[in-house]
Amino acid sequence: MISAQFSSALQQASLLHSSPLSSSSQEFQSSLAQTLASLDNIKLQILSLALFSANETFDDISSSDLKYLLVSPYIADLVLLKTHPLTNPLEARQFRIHDLNRAKAEIEEFIRMVENYEIVRKVDLEYFEGKGGKSGEEKRNQKIARFKYEKELKNKLEYLKNNPTSADDDVVRETTLLEIHLQISKSVESYQFIKSELDLLSSAPIQPPQPPPSQEQSTSTSSPTDYTERLELQQPLLSPSGVPLRPFTLTSRTAIADGVFKPHWNLPTMTIDEYLALEMERGNFLQGGGEMPEKKIVEFDGNENEEEEMERKKKMDWDEFTDANKRGSGNRFNKS
């Protein structure tokens, strides 16, 4: 009987995880509550039948009862899916803290049980106790290793389910043990997230919502200098003699309607030509005055560079002479 109930509860849990419904919908939460009630009932039957004992070893557990070790992690997984659509945020936070503590207790019970049966890895136990990597690189490597490990377990489980060789005791025990190791890895990961969320909720300031004041209280306690959107009800705009009694702004519905779809920045109110004309009228431009001064043309006097010109011509003459008279072509004493 308990076996049929457990199989039915697992099927309902699988449907919840693959459901297209939102986890906050009433239909989803109703199915979730029914599945949790079934698992809670199964757990009570397990305790009453005393299927597990701290005095026995893993080999003492029968293969048919080994699967019931997974009840606690399944309960913790479903409890984390609970939502409480309350308008009061303080009550919603209290319900969430209660659910987190329950899931935390279920995971702790499961880990201590598999530790007692010595079927938990040392690395998983260290991660559960918060003795994992401290630096960012170490945590990243641990997450990658855990992801690969879980993927390997899932592939093995998928292969055994799709290729059933036989239903003997060894195959059933191996399949269940793989599922237990997979849930151990998932549970220690969820445990760290639960602790982080509990710390965050515990450190958040408690601000109970304040009820909005009634209209009678607001009108009775307000003074003439208090701000209110209905200022015109406190005092008249003008005195009998026509003197304004309070500040006011003249607006029209047309002006308000025209400004609805305008951009939030200020738009130009005139063109550049209009602005220049306005500035000229204000006398901000200098006009009139004398004639423009003539540009001074600088003329170069050749006498100033006469010495340089003579030096340049002397060099040119020497260059022409050396070109026309090669070296050694002078007086050769009538030698041909």
Side-chain angles (χ1 to χ4, degrees), residues 30-44:
S30 177
S31 302
L32 177 63
Q34 294 176 4
T35 308
L36 279 173
S38 301
L39 290 174
D40 289 337
N41 185 29
I42 293 170
K43 187 174 183 179
L44 290 176

Side-chain angles (χ1 to χ4, degrees), residues 21 30 33 43 57 71 95 112 115 122 129 157 168 219 263 266 269 290 301 311:
L21 298 174
S30 177
K43 187 174 183 179
T57 63
V71 173
F95 276 109
R112 296 311 175 193
E115 182 185 9
K122 181 180 178 180
E129 295 174 350
L157 284 170
D168 59 359
T219 55
N266 294 330
T269 58
D301 188 359
E311 184 69 21

